[in-house]
Amino acid sequence: QSALTQPASVSGSPGQSITISCTGSDLDDVNYNYVSWYQQHPGRAPKLMIYDVTYRPSGVSNRFSGSKSANTASLTISDLQADDEADYYCSSHTFSNLYVFGSGTKVIVL
Amino acid sequence: EVQLVESGGGLVKPGGSLRLSCAVSGFTLDSFTMSWVRQAPGKGLEWVSSISGRSAYIFYADSMKGRFTVSRDNAKNSLYLEVDSLRAEDTAVYYCAREVPTASWYFDSWGQGTLVTVSS
């Protein structure tokens, strides 16, 4: 199962908005209705930020939002803050009952 | 409070075997499907395997079939991952993660990970 493709890095200044894309192949068996996003700070475990494409777990800032179009999901971080600097991974489930992760995106706050 | 604590990592020679453990607390383990996810140094997350609450369903990533064996002991609140014929490319932090018990697919809780280093 191939990884989902994400940009290697995305940068923005504090207060700005950035968007991270997560794209699969037209031929994969990924179920794009179950895309989730994880934030990972260096040396830390991943943290769930978005699930089922658009839903935020309790405690996650509403500055984080998700969306999708066909086989591309997106994570938008608005009002960018210094603590948002981290790695972000998309993930989804496949029709073969497997999981696949994205290649990861490093968010840089300028 | 939900807690997942991995252990069993360390330095292993190529060709060796290892058994990782994940001790959980704060929830009833047999109600949850659990997964292992690994992360090589400086690399991204890679899903390894999942096992349903009563071990009825077990799945492995294609690249993990054959050398990886997932198991659980709900009475001991523990999840396990055995890895045989270890290779340098198995060097990674191994995380256990809890899947949500709903009609969805994501991980809502993660352990802190245990580092496996394969080197002679």
Side-chain angles (χ1 to χ4, degrees):
Chain A
Q1 185 66 43
S2 300
L4 301 170
T5 301
Q6 299 179 231
S9 65
V10 174
S11 61
S13 299
Q16 288 186 330
S17 292
I18 61 168
T19 296
I20 303 167
S21 61
C22 170
T23 303
S25 161
D26 289 341
L27 302 178
D28 65 31
D29 68 337
V30 174
N31 188 334
Y32 290 93
N33 292 316
Y34 295 116
V35 172
S36 54
W37 290 89
Y38 302 87
Q39 175 193 64
Q40 187 181 35
H41 285 106
R44 303 293 298 275
K47 174 188 175 184
L48 178 68
M49 304 302 285
I50 294 287
Y51 66 94
D52 292 354
V53 181
T54 62
Y55 294 92
R56 272 188 315 276
S58 173
V60 172
S61 170
N62 60 7
R63 298 184 298 104
F64 292 84
S65 62
S67 64
K68 83 171 176 75
S69 175
N71 63 340
T72 296
S74 298
L75 174 71
T76 297
I77 309 174
S78 58
D79 187 23
L80 197 63
Q81 299 181 3
D83 190 52
D84 298 334
E85 186 160 293
D87 294 326
Y88 292 82
Y89 295 91
C90 62
S91 177
S92 194
H93 199 245
T94 74
F95 292 104
S96 304
N97 287 307
L98 309 179
Y99 279 92
V100 62
F101 281 95
S103 46
T105 298
K106 183 176 184 58
V107 167
I108 300 167
V109 181
L110 301 171
Chain B
E1 180 189 5
V2 171
Q3 284 196 320
L4 297 83
V5 180
E6 301 92 337
S7 61
L11 177 62
V12 186
K13 287 183 166 48
S17 299
L18 205 60
R19 188 195 201 201
L20 306 179
S21 300
C22 172
V24 310
S25 59
F27 64 99
T28 303
L29 184 59
D30 63 9
S31 298
F32 292 83
T33 294
M34 301 292 292
S35 272
W36 286 96
V37 177
R38 72 179 185 180
Q39 186 172 34
K43 302 297 185 181
L45 301 172
E46 182 179 28
W47 177 76
V48 174
S49 176
S50 68
I51 180 169
S52 61
R54 301 293 176 95
S55 304
Y57 301 99
I58 293 175
F59 300 99
Y60 297 96
D62 290 345
S63 60
M64 310 293 173
K65 289 178 181 175
R67 296 189 301 117
F68 292 74
T69 304
V70 65
S71 62
R72 61 194 294 159
D73 186 335
N74 292 332
K76 295 183 177 179
N77 291 314
S78 293
L79 174 73
Y80 307 103
L81 181 70
E82 293 188 47
V83 188
D84 298 321
S85 303
L86 280 156
R87 308 164 180 167
E89 52 265 38
D90 294 320
T91 294
V93 174
Y94 286 74
Y95 295 100
C96 61
R98 187 180 80 167
E99 295 185 23
V100 289
T102 61
S104 187
W105 308 97
Y106 58 92
F107 308 109
D108 66 346
S109 296
W110 297 67
Q112 85 290 346
T114 187
L115 175 62
V116 174
T117 303
V118 184
S119 175
S120 55

